[in-house]
Amino acid sequence: MLPEALVQLAKERMAPYPCEGFLPGRGPKHPVLFFVGEAPGETEIHTHIPFSGRAGKELDLFLERAGVNRDEIFISSSVRSRPYQYKTKQIRGETITKKYNRTPTKAEVLAHAPVLDYEIDQSEPEMLITLGRIGWERITGSKEKITQVAGKVIEQPIQQLKSLEDNAFIFSEKVYRIFPTYHPASVFYNPGLRPVIEEHAYTIRKLLNR
Ligand code: URA
C-alpha cells in the first residue's frame, strides 16, 4: 500500500501536466519479477488494474511463457497516471474530439519518480523487467537503444530521485538485476517483434529455473 502522503505528493507533482487518474502499482513483497511499464492507459484508469487492456492480454501471454503468475509479480510503470492528448478525428462522417493515450514526457516521469522509487524499495524485487524504452530509460538513464539491450541480463545501480528539492535522478547504491524487453503493445505496430518477445519470456523462465 502506498502511503497517502506519497499519493498526494505525486498528484501535486503531476498537476501541471495533462494526465488523469492515479493507479498504484500492484504486487507482493519480494516479487519474483518487478515490471516497469510506461503509464496506465484509458482502460487501466477505469478498471484500476495495471495492464488490464489490450497490452495486458499480451503481457499475460508473456507471463504464461515465463512460467509466472500475476500474484507473484509486481506490476508498475514510470508514470502512474494516464497521459492524454485531445485529438479530433472523423469517424463515420462525424467529427469527434476525445482523449487519446500518449507517451509520457521526461517531466512526467520525474514527477512520478517518488512513487516508483518507493514501490521498488519496499517490495525488494529479485529482478526488474523494463517494458519498452520509457521503462528502460527511467530505470537506467541509458541512451542505448532498446534494440541493443533487449533480452540481456544487466546488473547495475538504478535511477532514483535525488531529493524533492533537486528534482533530478541519481544512481542507487544497490545493484539491481535488470532484464529489458519490448513493451507488450509493440507487437500491435511491429508484429515481427512477437517471436523476439516470446524468446525473452523463455529466457526469463530459464533464469527463474521454472
Ligand atoms: N501500459 C503500461 O505501461 N501500463 C499499463 O498498465 C498499461 C499499459
Side-chain angles (χ1 to χ4, degrees):
M1 270 287 271
L2 283 180
E4 188 48 37
L6 193 52
V7 176
Q8 283 313 318
L9 174 70
K11 285 184 179 167
E12 278 163 31
R13 287 167 64 85
M14 283 307 275
Y17 310 112
C19 293
E20 65 177 357
F22 183 84
L23 175 62
R26 191 185 267 218
K29 191 156 171 92
H30 299 303
V32 287
L33 302 170
F34 187 116
F35 286 82
V36 183
E38 191 172 300
E42 185 181 12
T43 310
E44 287 78 16
I45 286 304
H46 289 110
T47 60
H48 302 287
I49 302 168
F51 278 99
S52 45
R54 236 173 125 216
K57 292 211 172 65
E58 296 296 328
L59 181 66
D60 286 337
L61 281 175
F62 186 90
L63 297 178
E64 204 181 309
R65 293 190 172 110
V68 295
N69 293 316
R70 272 203 183 218
D71 57 13
E72 54 181 343
I73 62 164
F74 202 106
I75 307 181
S76 191
S77 56
S78 310
V79 166
R80 296 306 310 156
S81 299
R82 175 202 180 198
Y84 65 81
Q85 63 186 339
Y86 281 103
K87 279 191 197 166
T88 302
K89 292 193 180 174
Q90 294 288 331
I91 299 172
R92 285 182 287 277
E94 246 190 287
T95 307
I96 294 178
T97 301
K98 71 171 201 122
K99 287 176 183 171
Y100 286 86
N101 297 343
R102 66 169 168 80
T103 306
T105 63
K106 281 201 161 52
E108 289 161 351
V109 170
L110 202 54
H112 265 268
V115 174
L116 184 59
D117 286 351
Y118 180 89
E119 289 174 337
I120 295 174
D121 196 51
Q122 291 295 306
S123 66
E124 301 179 3
E126 286 169 33
M127 180 155 56
L128 301 173
I129 311 287
T130 61
L131 300 171
R133 179 180 66 84
I134 300 291
W136 164 249
E137 287 185 4
R138 161 62 173 94
I139 290 299
T140 64
S142 170
K143 289 282 160 280
E144 258 187 293
K145 285 243 159 66
I146 192 79
T147 46
Q148 297 300 308
V149 293
K152 294 181 185 156
V153 180
I154 294 155
E155 298 205 3
Q156 64 161 78
I158 62 170
Q159 289 201 121
Q160 298 172 328
L161 192 71
K162 184 174 175 204
S163 66
L164 293 175
E165 296 72 40
D166 289 299
N167 203 31
F169 284 121
I170 50 165
F171 283 99
S172 62
E173 277 175 25
K174 190 170 160 184
V175 170
Y176 287 82
R177 244 179 150 200
I178 307 162
F179 186 99
T181 182
Y182 295 98
H183 194 280
S186 60
V187 298
F188 303 143
Y189 51 86
N190 187 355
L193 283 178
R194 195 177 281 284
V196 183
I197 295 175
E198 275 180 29
E199 210 39 59
H200 292 171
Y202 291 126
T203 305
I204 290 170
R205 191 183 192 114
K206 278 197 211 110
L207 289 168
L208 297 175
N209 291 320
R210 299 228 165 160

